[in-house]
């Protein structure tokens, strides 16, 4: 009840502020500053049973779905006050195979700095170190919005050191539990971060050390459900679950001339976790994670190496949460973040149960201002063998070799050409039992040309050869930009189909118009189902056929 009163009060406050600003535009400093943005995503669904765009409420009867977000921020007398209004109607964003309709305040906060002490009440996003033990962030199209609602203090000890502490509950991302409520477990944490320069400026070593701790305490309902599950196990598998779990991390970044070295180690105390064991039961396990990255760059050359080892570092609001729900920890991905359509079709999500991963990225400029070469290698393995697999396949999760070159043909034209080799454990990443590892060979190219009068052209071409999953693909994209308009058309052809009876073409065409801070986009899309990844977090997207209208505006 109190929360609803606060939310209504904030809505009334922002309405009043808007009226004041409109009437006193010449005295903006006196009455504060109101800024914000609005985004709407609208889909018109056209049934296509051949590709699987069917048998959901949207395709069968609703035909239309929309997602909307309005954010308002008001600054006055040192206060930062913000709200975000969310509205979903016939939305498949939360559950790709179902429909969700609801509206309400998705976020609100009040923030004020007082003599070096930064105070926030409400919803906030933050992280400790690289996010290994705590990261609250928003990726609305995945969807992930695990903001913490509570209170946070950040104190600037001096110019080089600051400390923070926070407590709250995590925002829900499950439609059946209401997006405008919170998970009941309590999350509290603290961290200290520093900046230490050593030596003279022309040969200075810079250290940015830090340490943090997070505590999560389960609510009674979650504990009762866990205890009920454990009580049904065989006697040798029974254990006493704990209400409270702690996670600790220590991290540091060292910079010296062209060198940069980041390292972070984390430990989580034992708790009930879903460890993907053959019995499908919870286990009492502690967890560890180590992540490090070392890079060196100089004129015409750069090299970066990364290593990560994760062992049962499963940290959520409740051990019963799965997929993108209840995430407290964020474990950075160890595979290249590809951007081209076919080279990014299979992407490796972080495996918090266990993985050992390494990545090497080398960039060389043999001909300055003319040619740039890049080589990326990545390997990801499980710590324990996968049941039913032998040899390399018993441990392999993901492998990639990606070599490409950028050639500047002249001042207005450039060409990027490359080749990718991939091995992708679809059984583990997409939870599809019994399927083989997907092996792909992908040559790709991109051509860009700038023309007079604010015109430009971009062409993307690629081909994927694979004998697994859907079979081989060919892809072509043409994009033309002129002043404030952009037009595009693409086609993705299943040249050697494995799942369809005939060769299927998935195409997309559309246009967008940008005027000052407003952007309008309209397009038609016939899209194959698959996994979409952002920042190492992946989500299944079903096949789509229909029209999309999107509008983004800021003020």
């Amino acid at each position: 009840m109190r929360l609803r009163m606060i939310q209504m009060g904030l809505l009334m406050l922002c309405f009043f502020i808007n009226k004041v600003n409109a009437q006193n535009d010449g005295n903006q400093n006196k009455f504060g500053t109101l800024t914000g943005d609005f985004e709407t995503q609208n889909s018109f669904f056209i049934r296509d049973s051949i590709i699987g765009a069917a048998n959901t409420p949207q395709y069968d009867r609703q035909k239309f779905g929309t997602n909307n977000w309005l954010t308002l921020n008001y600054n006055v007398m040192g206060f930062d006050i913000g709200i975000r209004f969310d509205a979903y109607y016939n939305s498949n964003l939360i559950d790709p195979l179902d429909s969700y309709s609801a509206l309400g305040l998705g976020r609100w906060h009040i923030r004020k700095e007082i003599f070096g002490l930064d105070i926030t009440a409400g919803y906030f996003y933050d992280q400790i170190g690289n996010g290994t033990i705590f990261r609250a962030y928003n990726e609305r199209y995945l969807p992930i919005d695990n903001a913490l609602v509570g209170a946070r203090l950040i104190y600037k000890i001096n110019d080089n050191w600051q400390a923070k502490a926070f407590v709250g509950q995590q925002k829900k991302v499950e439609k059946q539990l209401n997006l405008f409520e919170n998970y009941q477990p309590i999350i509290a944490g603290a961290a200290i971060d520093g900046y230490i320069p050593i030596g003279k400026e022309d040969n200075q070593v810079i250290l940015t050390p830090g340490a943090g701790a997070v505590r999560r305490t389960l609510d009674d309902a979650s504990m009762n459900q866990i205890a009920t599950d454990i009580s049904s196990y065989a006697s040798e598998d029974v254990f006493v679950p704990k209400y409270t779990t702690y996670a600790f991390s220590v991290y540091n970044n060292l910079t010296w001339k062209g060198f940069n070295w980041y390292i972070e180690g984390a430990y989580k105390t034992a708790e009930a976790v879903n460890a993907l064991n053959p019995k499908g039961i919870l286990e009492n396990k502690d967890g560890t994670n180590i992540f490090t990255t070392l890079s060196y760059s100089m004129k015409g050359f750069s090299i970066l190496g990364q290593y990560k080892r994760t062992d049962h570092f499963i940290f959520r609001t409740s051990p019963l949460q799965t997929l993108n729900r209840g995430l407290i920890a964020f474990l950075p991905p160890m595979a290249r973040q590809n951007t081209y359509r076919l080279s990014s079709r299979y992407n490796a999500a972080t495996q918090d149960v266990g993985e050992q991963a390494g990545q090497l990225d080398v960039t060389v400029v043999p001909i300055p201002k003319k040619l740039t070469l890049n080589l990326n290698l990545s390997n990801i393995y499980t710590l324990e063998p996968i049941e039913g697999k032998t040899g390399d396949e018993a441990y392999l999760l993901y492998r990639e070799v990606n070599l490409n070159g950028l050639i500047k043909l002249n001042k207005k034209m450039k060409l990027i050409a490359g080749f990718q080799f991939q091995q992708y454990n679809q059984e583990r990443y997409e939870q599809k039992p019994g399927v083989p590892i997907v092996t792909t060979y992908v040559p790709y190219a991109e051509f860009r040309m700038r023309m007079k009068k604010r015109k430009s052209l971009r062409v993307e071409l690629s081909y994927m050869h694979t004998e697994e999953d859907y079979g081989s693909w060919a892809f072509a994209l043409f994009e033309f930009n002129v002043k404030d308009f952009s037009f595009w058309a693409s086609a993705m052809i299943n040249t050697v189909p494995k799942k369809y009876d005939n060769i299927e073409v998935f195409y997309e065409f559309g246009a967008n118009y940008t005027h000052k801070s407003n952007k309008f986009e309209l397009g038609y899309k016939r899209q194959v189902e698959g996994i979409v990844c952002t920042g190492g977090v992946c989500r299944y997207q079903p096949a789509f056929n229909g029209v999309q209208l999107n509008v983004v505006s800021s003020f």
Side-chain angles (χ1 to χ4, degrees):
M1 186 67 181
R2 290 181 178 178
L3 179 59
R4 291 182 179 178
M5 292 177 64
I6 292 173
Q7 292 175 340
M8 291 300 298
L10 286 169
L11 277 174
M12 295 176 65
L13 175 61
C14 287
F15 176 78
F16 171 75
I17 291 166
N18 194 24
K19 296 289 289 183
V20 170
N21 276 355
Q23 296 171 5
N24 301 276
D25 200 36
N27 299 307
Q28 195 173 30
N29 292 334
K30 180 179 178 181
F31 293 98
T33 303
L34 178 67
T35 59
D37 59 77
F38 173 73
E39 182 174 358
T40 178
Q41 180 193 54
N42 304 275
S43 298
F44 302 84
F45 297 87
I46 302 173
R47 185 182 176 91
D48 187 341
S49 58
I50 294 176
I51 67 171
N55 303 320
T56 68
Q58 291 85 355
Y59 287 109
D60 291 349
R61 58 184 181 274
Q62 294 170 348
K63 306 300 182 182
F64 172 74
T66 179
N67 307 303
N68 307 272
W69 302 273
L70 172 65
T71 302
L72 299 174
N73 291 293
Y74 181 58
N75 292 278
V76 61
M77 299 177 62
F79 284 92
D80 173 24
I81 304 170
I83 63 171
R84 193 186 72 221
F85 180 76
D86 300 349
Y88 307 92
Y89 298 104
N90 301 335
S91 171
N92 66 347
L93 181 64
I94 311 305
D95 185 343
L97 302 178
D98 205 348
S99 180
Y100 178 69
S101 296
L103 73 161
L105 281 183
R107 184 190 178 206
W108 62 268
H109 75 271
I110 301 175
R111 182 177 178 182
K112 172 70 173 178
E113 184 177 343
I114 306 173
F115 300 111
L117 179 62
D118 188 310
I119 305 171
T120 301
Y123 291 79
F124 57 88
Y125 300 109
D126 206 336
Q127 69 181 54
I128 294 177
N130 208 39
T132 303
I133 62 172
F134 174 75
R135 186 186 183 201
Y137 66 110
N138 184 14
E139 290 283 358
R140 60 179 51 159
Y141 291 119
L142 280 177
I144 293 177
D145 186 2
N146 59 353
L148 214 63
V149 55
R152 180 187 63 183
L153 300 177
I154 302 176
Y155 182 63
K156 187 176 181 180
I157 301 171
N158 54 41
D159 290 341
N160 293 341
W161 289 86
Q162 74 170 24
K164 65 182 173 186
F166 55 83
V167 64
Q169 295 174 314
Q170 191 183 98
K171 178 180 170 67
K172 288 180 179 176
V173 290
E174 299 177 65
K175 66 166 191 169
Q176 61 267 37
L177 299 177
N178 191 340
L179 290 181
F180 304 102
E181 295 179 357
N182 307 307
Y183 293 117
Q184 292 306 300
I186 304 299
I187 301 170
I192 185 167
D193 294 274
Y195 175 87
I196 305 174
I198 302 173
K200 297 182 179 179
E201 188 173 345
D202 59 345
N203 192 34
Q204 195 172 66
V205 176
I206 297 176
L207 304 177
T208 53
V214 174
R215 166 180 169 158
R216 186 219 61 211
T217 303
L218 293 173
D219 60 297
D220 289 340
S222 296
M223 174 55 76
N224 290 339
Q225 188 174 356
I226 293 169
T228 300
D229 287 353
I230 295 174
S231 66
S232 65
Y233 297 167
S235 58
E236 64 270 18
D237 297 322
V238 172
F239 61 93
V240 179
K242 299 179 177 64
Y243 268 94
T244 300
T245 301
Y246 296 90
F248 308 93
S249 69
V250 178
Y251 45 91
N252 180 62
N253 191 76
L254 182 151
T255 303
W256 177 64
K257 294 186 176 180
F259 287 95
N260 187 278
W261 179 32
Y262 179 84
I263 185 168
E264 179 170 358
Y267 172 75
K268 181 177 70 71
T269 59
E271 66 163 327
V273 295
N274 185 353
L276 298 180
N277 57 65
K279 295 182 179 181
I281 61 176
L282 298 172
E283 295 181 69
N284 190 39
K285 295 274 190 178
D286 60 356
T288 59
N289 184 79
I290 184 168
F291 171 76
T292 185
T293 176
L294 177 64
S295 66
Y296 173 73
S297 63
M298 56 181 291
K299 186 176 181 180
F301 176 79
S302 68
I303 183 170
L304 178 145
Q306 291 183 317
Y307 173 79
K308 181 178 67 173
R309 188 183 190 278
T310 303
D311 187 2
H312 290 92
F313 204 88
I314 309 164
F315 197 27
R316 298 172 182 264
T317 57
S318 166
L320 301 175
Q321 302 294 346
T322 59
L323 302 176
N324 295 337
R325 299 166 183 165
L327 293 170
I328 299 175
F330 173 80
L331 305 180
M334 288 296 290
R336 175 187 173 96
Q337 297 301 296
N338 294 299
T339 57
Y340 296 120
R341 184 65 182 89
L342 293 185
S343 65
S344 63
R345 176 160 172 76
Y346 300 108
N347 212 324
T350 294
Q351 301 295 296
D352 52 10
V353 172
E355 68 176 11
Q356 186 164 224
Q359 182 175 200
L360 179 68
D361 190 274
V362 181
T363 300
V364 181
V365 186
I367 307 176
K369 299 183 180 181
K370 291 290 184 180
L371 177 63
T372 301
L373 299 175
N374 176 261
L375 173 65
N376 182 274
L377 309 172
S378 59
N379 277 287
I380 304 175
Y381 294 92
T382 64
L383 298 183
E384 299 179 357
I386 301 171
E387 186 178 11
K389 302 290 185 179
T390 59
D392 188 48
E393 289 192 1
Y395 293 91
L396 179 64
L397 289 175
Y398 184 82
R399 178 178 292 138
E400 179 178 359
V401 179
N402 198 313
L403 176 65
N404 65 77
L406 184 153
I407 306 171
K408 293 184 178 180
L409 304 174
N410 55 44
K411 292 183 178 180
K412 296 184 177 181
M413 293 189 294
K414 65 173 62 174
L415 173 68
I416 299 174
F419 180 82
Q420 177 200 57
F421 167 76
Q422 246 183 348
Q423 289 179 293
Y424 172 84
N425 192 322
Q426 192 175 32
E427 181 175 13
R428 176 61 63 88
Y429 288 120
E430 300 182 22
Q431 301 300 304
K432 295 181 178 180
V435 299
I437 287 179
V438 177
T439 301
T440 71
Y441 305 86
V442 183
Y444 58 88
E446 178 188 13
F447 174 76
R448 294 185 181 185
M449 180 173 64
R450 291 185 293 109
M451 295 173 275
K452 295 180 179 179
K453 297 182 178 179
R454 294 172 59 191
K455 297 178 182 178
S456 65
L457 174 68
R458 186 173 82 89
V459 179
E460 179 185 333
L461 301 172
S462 58
Y463 183 80
M464 173 186 286
H465 171 75
T466 180
E467 297 181 359
E468 293 79 36
D469 199 22
Y470 280 84
S472 298
W473 296 91
F475 177 79
L477 166 70
F478 296 88
E479 178 184 307
F480 180 69
N481 303 288
V482 52
K483 295 183 178 180
D484 297 329
F485 289 90
S486 179
F487 306 89
W488 70 88
S490 68
M492 184 171 164
I493 306 171
N494 195 193
T495 57
V496 185
K498 296 289 185 179
K499 294 190 176 183
Y500 300 121
D501 295 332
N502 302 298
I503 294 175
E504 292 294 333
V505 181
F506 297 85
Y507 39 84
E508 178 180 352
F509 55 85
N512 66 53
Y513 169 67
T514 303
H515 177 67
K516 295 183 178 179
S517 60
N518 298 320
K519 182 178 180 179
F520 307 87
E521 182 176 294
L522 178 65
Y524 173 81
K525 181 187 297 184
R526 188 179 192 244
Q527 176 179 286
V528 66
E529 64 92 21
I531 298 293
V532 175
C533 298
T534 300
V537 180
C538 299
R539 175 182 187 261
Y540 167 80
Q541 283 197 355
F544 176 80
N545 185 52
V547 177
Q548 290 186 330
L549 171 64
N550 304 322
V551 179
V552 179
S553 179
S554 59
F555 53 89

